Amino acid sequence: MFKDALEANPTTPLMDPENPAQYYNFYGQITGSNPVERQKLEKDKATTKLLDWDATVKLNLLPLFAKNGISDHHLSTQIMFADHVYDNDNSFFRPSTSTVSINNGQEGYASRSYSKEKQYVLEWLANYDTRIAEKHNIKAMIGYSYQYSQYSGFSAENQDFPNDGLGADNLGSGEWAKEEGEVMMSSYKNDAKLISFFGRVSYDFEGKYLLTASLRHEGSSKFGKNHKWGNFPAVSLGWRISQENFMKDAEWLNELKIRADYGVTGNQDFASYLSINTMSGFGYYYYNGKYFQVWGPGKNVNPDLKWEKGKNWNIGLDFAVLNNRISGSLNYFNRTQQDLLGNYKVPVPPNIHDETFVNVGTMRNTGFEFDLNFNAVETKNFSYSFDIVGTAMSNKFVKFSNSEYVGQDYYNVCSTEDPYPYYNLQRIEKGKSLGNFYMWKYASITQDGEWLIYDKDGDVIRATQGTDDDRRIVGNGMPKFTLSTSHNFRYRNFDLALFFRGAFGYDIFNIHDFYYGTRNFNGNVMKKAYGKNFDVSPDVANVVTDYYLERGDYFKLDMVTLGYTIPLAKCRFLDRIRVYFTAKNVFTITKFSGVDPSTYQVNGLQPGAQGGRSYYPSTRQFIAGIQVDL
Amino acid sequence: MNIFKPTVAAIATVAALSLGSCTDLDENLYDQVGSENYYNTKNDVIRAVFRPFEHAFWSIGSRHVLNELTADQLITPTRDGWWNDGGKWERLHYHTWTVDDLGEAQTEWNGCFQGIMQCNLVIEDLNRFKYESFGFTEAEFNNLRAQCRALRAWFYIRLLDAFRNVPLVTTYSDRPSNPQAEPKEVFDFIESELKDCTSLLVRKVGLGNNATIQGQWTQAAAAALLVRLYLNAEVYVGEDRYKDCETYAQAILDGRYGDYALADRWDAAFDWDNDTCDEVIFGFPGSRGYTHWHYDGDTYGWTVPAKAADFFNDTKSGVGHNTKYAASPSYDLDGNLYDYELGMPVQNFRKYDGDERMKFYTNLGNSRREGMFLFGYLEYKDAETGETKRLRAPEQPYDLYLRDAVGRFQSLDPTRWPADKTSKLSTGDHNSGWHFVKYPFYDDNDPNQLASDYTEIRLPEVIYSLAEAKMRRGDRTSAAKLLNSVRKRNYPADKLDDVLYSPDGKVRFDEKEMLDEWGREFFAESRRRIDLIRFGKFNTGRWWDKTPDADDHTALFPITRTILNSNPNLVQNPGYGR
């Protein structure tokens, strides 16, 4: 909607000048429909019902069965049942008077859909702990968990209704679904099970040396027959140096602990039924005087589908010094995700489809995190504390194939859309980091306003002669460093909190400049089209080059809150009254010339890149409030 | 303390039960069916048999682009910023595609092989079954299996045509990963399969009754595929098989494979009732509600101006019209006729006076149309107000005036020509090039809107193939007569003397006329590329802004990089590099 409003020709009237009761028809413009009309005339409703409940029964077996009810051993068991139901009821209606209906040849359109997500978990646990000779602390736990999920739903739609007053509440009265072959309805249902057995043992000696080991044996219905179960061990070690005798004299030190851990996690987050052979319905074909829905294999089956595993290890240090004035933690992490689950290009033949859902590839993230807290000033009338949290991370796509699935060593991702389709902004490539912008390198613009680029030999050529070979890595959209910091002040009854965050060392492809920044675009354009980009001819097709690539670094004041606590004379019912004022998204320091750089996604498989020009503005919010404590 | 004991016992029981019964991770299916449980009834078999057929109908889109936009008759010019698409259409037009950017070649390869693997699967399944257990007669069961073999041969002809060097795969469950076969091996397979299964297929008996067997591979349809194969044998495998082409084409004309007849009007094979047209030998059944891939998107729905729904009054059809395809221009931007040997399709039609197809496309009412082209102003009566309007360009404030030329005319007076004389694919606007309508766009009040089937093989192809084979074997008179037998329906009776080839008329028939006539009769029917190749013009020819290629490696399409990388067995076609 924002996108439509932005790019609509600004001289277009809202209402039809020849028929002021009718919204102006945007047909033929790049914005195909009147955004105000859609906002006013279309009824889009969604009702969601969420039910979550759980119950736990816990029994302390020891000391229950111990003599006199006293024991050094504690043994308990519990059963937990949790149920989660999520119902969605959606309806949509567009009246026959809407220009969208008129342009689509519809006398009104309506749909209704209902979806239901059901999940329950049954979990049994037994906990045991004991303390031996006042020094050895031992804890152990075993358990079993059963999780069932089911997704189902149906939808119906129709068009050409006798009366606009019916909305989406009388779908059967529409004419359209009466046509032969117009199905206008659908339903679906699928489910999955996840079962695990798990156990954990932890031991510490006088709270100084800590050891925990665990194992989870987990199975998911989604994997291949012989690959359903996976084992996920974890172990962690810790040493609280500050508890040692030789550190006892160091009064400035409140806490010092070094720790290391290693663990394996599993991922089974994908659709059911990909490991078994199934037949699905497709379109229609005519035989013996009637149409049959045809049936065939809906996918390439992969009976070897197995757990994607994450192998993670961390080394860290926790500390607190100077009477806990300064505390924090430092952490180095290394996370390797292997047997990545995803769709993979496979040859036809021998396959029947050109993609199979497989376990292929390895990706690694390594980095360093720190979290520092300072209680800088603490007096009766004034206090100031702040913290700084930072992460430096690097990524590498280690492998892209295995012995069974060999494909290319790269994938192009993040494709552009009309009116400049068929370009990709990024390439994910073996041995390289995610977020690499892979495109032509901009050289200059000719007198005629044509784009010039560098070819692979470094010679300047016209972009119209550029090929895939001339593309190269021109930047990366994954921030090398992210930082956030919050500051809290108090002066007498006033309090002030500031929260800043920022990301540094990365590039963003300015997608709105790409679409709206030249005179080539057939709609509303930005000032730049007649300013810095005026030399680009309106008759020359736009091309993806690093001309639109900019540094994305930013630092912003994300939130500020000023409060005042009103001093109260002793009052029976009121403890405290505080008035406050909050502003969110206050200011951003950046050299990026496009929209708020923090609206670009920097996680996921295509950080810093957005192929479409959809736009939702980042808002600045002001909140005033009164907080009353009774 | 006793009261706890039953509680403990209950908990222990629940726990034991859940542990005992709940390690089961089998999957339950709801809205799909497990393959091993699929076949139960006769209809289950029918639904599985026709899955590759339905896929085949879908797959015609990529073939259309590859065979028309690389050839001399159709163009996709840039229009006021539309249809540049990163130079995609230019690369097709100028034969400068690479292994990375030819998406349609990838779709063609995968589309055909998917169809082949679907056929292989069904054939294997049928081989396992006894016809009686599903209530088939032996003949019907064998017919279904033979039809799958014929369809598979049709896919292989397309692969031979587009890529030539392809794996020959005839099984499914053993997961064949064959390397590319020699083209001759593929050719021989197609030939023997078609010959083999012909007798098992249905033979059409009598006229006017095609509807009941529409969409089915019949004896004549399989024989017509052999005609197609033999006509191009010299290109495909370097063998002169014109004699065989003649034999099979003549046999079809003689009615040996069933009863067929030419329609008396050119558009009957494309009209809403073409399922009853005796000229149609094989067609994919289409209907407004079920399926109409030839109308959808980019085959025949996008051969008209972007806002053509106003002109046709067919918004309810759901065919989102667009300007992808237009006729390559005959005029330069001074209004002078080009003098290229190729291209200029409109001029080729104009050459013979009175051609029915040259009429302005008009819906006549009662589910009939006339004419094939859209040109000049496109005037229509507004459905609501009744006033006469001119169709406008999208996004731009000008009335369309379609010209047989490419340039930036916009609102320029029809009698004038623009100052910028550059006419090439990148310099068009929405007026550039005549548009055309092959399958009719009937209006929203017409009960037969979108009812046409897609005609894949029609009798004129057999006649033209026979004519060409005869011409190549030196019998020009017979060739001319054969072509005239089709051509005469396109012109008024009093002009026939001026338009028919001698001896029926005054026009001299030669090789160029043969190629031009392929272009007229089969205008925009997804075959122009191979006709140019057969006449040695595809790489050496010159039309409009297309100059001859440096070499002829683009006569075959590349195996795109994604396909090549996913299958290390494959070797790239010559001239493309890996």
Side-chain angles (χ1 to χ4, degrees), chain A residues 28 105 144 176 180-181 189 191 195 221 273 277-279 283 285-287 293 295 350 352 408 410 522 541, chain B residues 22 27-28 30-33 35 47 54 80 84-85 110 114 117 140 176 215-216 288-289 316 395 561 565:
Chain A
Y144 166 83
W176 185 258
E180 190 191 10
K189 181 173 170 180
D191 66 6
I195 297 175
S221 59
Y273 315 126
N277 260 314
T278 59
M279 296 281 276
Y285 205 78
Y286 186 81
Y287 178 64
Q293 189 188 29
W295 275 62
I352 209 162
Q408 53 201 17
Y410 61 83
N522 283 317
Chain B
C22 292
E27 290 193 289
N28 298 314
Y30 302 93
D31 53 15
Q32 24 186 347
V33 179
S35 300
R47 290 176 199 283
E54 182 257 0
D80 299 330
N84 172 276
D85 296 339
N110 283 335
Q114 277 165 8
M117 291 309 281
E140 185 181 11
Q216 312 299 304
R288 173 178 160 143
K316 273 183 192 289
E395 295 182 357
R561 192 175 314 271
N565 284 343

Side-chain angles (χ1 to χ4, degrees), chain B residues 345-387:
Chain B
V346 174
Q347 184 58 27
N348 265 343
F349 279 102
R350 199 183 279 126
K351 188 170 169 189
Y352 297 110
D353 204 21
D355 194 325
E356 277 293 319
R357 295 165 294 190
M358 280 293 282
K359 287 186 178 165
F360 188 82
Y361 175 85
T362 311
N363 284 331
L364 302 172
N366 296 322
S367 311
R368 281 289 177 263
R369 54 86 75 90
E370 69 172 16
M372 184 162 72
F373 287 104
L374 293 174
F375 49 86
Y377 289 120
L378 306 187
E379 290 182 341
Y380 63 98
K381 280 215 164 39
D382 188 281
E384 273 177 43
T385 62
E387 63 180 311

Side-chain angles (χ1 to χ4, degrees), chain A residues 194-498:
Chain A
L194 186 64
I195 297 175
S196 62
F197 298 89
F198 46 88
R200 188 177 66 217
V201 181
S202 45
Y203 167 81
D204 74 71
F205 179 77
E206 287 187 328
K208 274 188 243 172
Y209 313 106
L210 316 156
L211 164 74
T212 303
S214 66
L215 179 67
R216 196 173 177 94
H217 179 65
E218 190 157 25
S220 164
S221 59
K222 295 172 183 176
F223 296 113
K225 202 165 185 196
N226 301 318
H227 305 277
K228 292 198 191 286
W229 294 91
N231 291 318
F232 306 98
V235 59
S236 74
L237 299 166
W239 180 24
R240 283 178 73 192
I241 302 170
S242 49
Q243 299 291 101
E244 293 286 355
N245 285 337
F246 59 80
M247 295 300 284
K248 273 202 173 132
D249 298 336
E251 282 185 5
W252 54 275
L253 186 73
N254 307 101
E255 169 84 33
L256 180 64
K257 175 182 170 187
I258 56 174
R259 55 186 160 74
D261 62 73
Y262 172 80
V264 182
T265 57
N267 175 20
Q268 54 107 40
D269 188 14
F270 62 95
S272 295
Y273 315 126
L274 295 175
S275 66
I276 55 174
N277 260 314
T278 59
M279 296 281 276
S280 311
F282 290 84
Y284 296 84
Y285 205 78
Y286 186 81
Y287 178 64
N288 269 351
K290 72 174 222 185
Y291 273 95
F292 284 85
Q293 189 188 29
V294 300
W295 275 62
K299 54 158 195 289
N300 291 337
V301 64
N302 180 3
D304 299 324
L305 211 51
K306 60 182 181 189
W307 285 89
E308 172 184 317
K309 287 190 173 178
K311 297 188 173 170
N312 314 314
W313 57 272
N314 296 286
I315 302 174
L317 178 100
D318 301 330
F319 70 93
V321 295
L322 304 176
N323 225 353
N324 290 320
R325 270 284 175 82
I326 301 173
S327 65
S329 65
L330 308 172
N331 195 37
Y332 170 81
F333 63 86
N334 182 321
R335 299 178 190 139
T336 304
Q337 208 63 22
Q338 64 187 43
D339 297 325
L340 290 168
L341 289 162
N343 280 312
Y344 202 72
K345 288 277 179 218
V346 294
V348 186
N351 297 288
I352 209 162
H353 295 279
D354 69 342
E355 275 188 351
T356 307
F357 196 82
V358 297
N359 297 93
V360 175
T362 303
M363 185 167 71
R364 183 172 297 139
N365 284 308
T366 52
F368 178 74
E369 297 163 318
F370 64 86
D371 177 357
L372 303 172
N373 305 289
F374 301 86
N375 289 313
V377 185
E378 184 72 69
T379 67
K380 184 166 172 273
N381 284 334
F382 180 71
S383 71
Y384 169 46
S385 68
F386 65 96
D387 67 50
I388 305 172
V389 179
T391 307
M393 192 173 87
S394 75
N395 166 281
K396 189 173 171 184
F397 225 106
V398 184
K399 263 199 310 196
F400 240 125
S401 51
N402 61 25
S403 57
E404 192 176 353
Y405 294 101
V406 286
Q408 53 201 17
D409 286 334
Y410 61 83
Y411 271 99
N412 293 329
V413 293
C414 198
S415 52
T416 58
E417 65 182 15
D418 268 340
Y420 314 127
Y422 303 113
Y423 286 100
N424 291 100
L425 300 186
Q426 292 191 340
R427 173 172 283 191
I428 302 177
E429 193 167 1
K430 181 185 163 182
K432 304 221 157 81
S433 169
L434 284 180
N436 275 336
F437 286 102
Y438 195 85
M439 54 187 65
W440 290 326
K441 189 158 180 55
Y442 164 79
S444 63
I445 295 166
T446 65
Q447 293 271 307
D448 316 335
E450 267 203 68
W451 294 97
L452 294 178
I453 58 165
Y454 290 101
D455 73 2
K456 60 177 184 295
D457 304 320
D459 297 325
V460 175
I461 58 167
R462 284 173 191 271
T464 50
Q465 277 142 11
T467 67
D468 203 52
D469 288 344
D470 302 320
R471 296 197 165 96
R472 65 187 79 184
I473 296 169
V474 292
N476 188 288
M478 184 177 264
K480 290 190 177 68
F481 184 62
T482 54
L483 181 89
S484 67
T485 173
S486 58
H487 300 256
N488 294 290
F489 300 88
R490 182 184 57 77
Y491 176 69
R492 291 179 187 273
N493 289 339
F494 288 95
D495 57 272
L496 174 69
L498 303 164

Side-chain angles (χ1 to χ4, degrees), chain A residues 117-129:
Chain A
E117 190 184 317
K118 200 168 87 176
Q119 213 170 65
Y120 69 82
V121 182
L122 178 74
E123 193 177 80
W124 168 79
L125 285 179
N127 278 298
Y128 168 80
D129 69 81

Side-chain angles (χ1 to χ4, degrees), chain B residues 70-238:
Chain B
T70 61
D72 64 330
Q73 294 196 316
L74 298 189
I75 56 169
T76 304
T78 304
R79 303 173 182 277
D80 299 330
W82 287 34
W83 293 104
N84 172 276
D85 296 339
K88 182 184 161 88
W89 314 111
E90 290 186 329
R91 290 191 291 271
L92 283 159
H93 181 70
Y94 298 121
H95 300 180
T96 53
W97 54 77
T98 72
V99 298
D100 287 296
D101 56 32
L102 197 54
E104 273 81 7
Q106 184 154 318
T107 311
E108 181 74 1
W109 176 286
N110 283 335
C112 287
F113 272 118
Q114 277 165 8
I116 287 166
M117 291 309 281
Q118 289 166 1
C119 290
N120 290 346
L121 169 64
V122 172
I123 292 166
E124 278 185 10
D125 283 344
L126 294 182
N127 286 343
R128 287 190 286 127
F129 297 152
K130 288 200 177 73
Y131 65 89
E132 322 78 285
S133 25
F134 291 97
F136 284 103
T137 63
E138 189 173 8
E140 185 181 11
F141 189 78
N142 288 340
N143 168 43
L144 290 178
R145 182 164 39 195
Q147 284 207 55
C148 288
R149 291 166 68 191
L151 181 70
R152 182 171 62 180
W154 176 78
F155 280 121
Y156 269 118
I157 294 178
R158 282 171 60 179
L159 289 167
L160 209 50
D161 189 87
F163 303 101
R164 198 81 27 94
N165 302 298
V166 297
L168 178 61
V169 175
T170 58
T171 55
Y172 176 83
S173 47
D174 59 346
R175 296 188 56 75
S177 57
N178 305 350
Q180 281 140 301
E182 284 298 316
K184 180 74 169 87
E185 221 181 306
V186 179
F187 185 96
D188 291 346
F189 173 76
I190 296 168
E191 184 185 20
S192 74
E193 281 287 289
L194 290 172
K195 282 183 173 173
D196 226 36
C197 68
T198 305
S199 63
L200 299 167
L201 296 168
V202 169
R203 180 175 179 275
K204 176 174 175 265
V205 182
L207 293 178
N209 58 1
N210 191 46
T212 52
I213 51 167
Q214 179 70 311
Q216 312 299 304
W217 287 98
T218 56
Q219 295 193 358
L225 285 188
L226 281 170
V227 170
R228 208 178 257 188
L229 183 73
Y230 291 138
L231 180 69
N232 296 304
E234 203 156 27
V235 177
Y236 294 162
V237 289

Side-chain angles (χ1 to χ4, degrees), chain B residues 59-78:
Chain B
S59 75
I60 61 169
S62 54
R63 181 182 66 174
H64 191 66
V65 172
L66 292 176
N67 287 344
E68 292 293 353
L69 288 182
T70 61
D72 64 330
Q73 294 196 316
L74 298 189
I75 56 169
T76 304
T78 304

Side-chain angles (χ1 to χ4, degrees), chain B residues 64 68-69 74-76 79 83 294-308 311-312 319-327 361 369 372-375 378 402 430 432-441 523-525:
Chain B
H64 191 66
E68 292 293 353
L69 288 182
L74 298 189
I75 56 169
T76 304
R79 303 173 182 277
W83 293 104
H294 52 321
Y295 276 111
D296 285 317
D298 65 357
T299 313
Y300 294 104
W302 289 6
T303 59
V304 292
K307 296 173 82 168
F311 176 76
F312 297 120
V319 172
H321 295 298
N322 212 327
T323 56
K324 185 171 180 180
Y325 302 100
Y361 175 85
R369 54 86 75 90
M372 184 162 72
F373 287 104
L374 293 174
F375 49 86
L378 306 187
L402 302 185
H430 287 283
S432 298
W434 281 22
H435 281 301
F436 58 93
V437 181
K438 198 94 195 187
Y439 290 84
F441 295 122
F523 179 71
E525 287 189 50

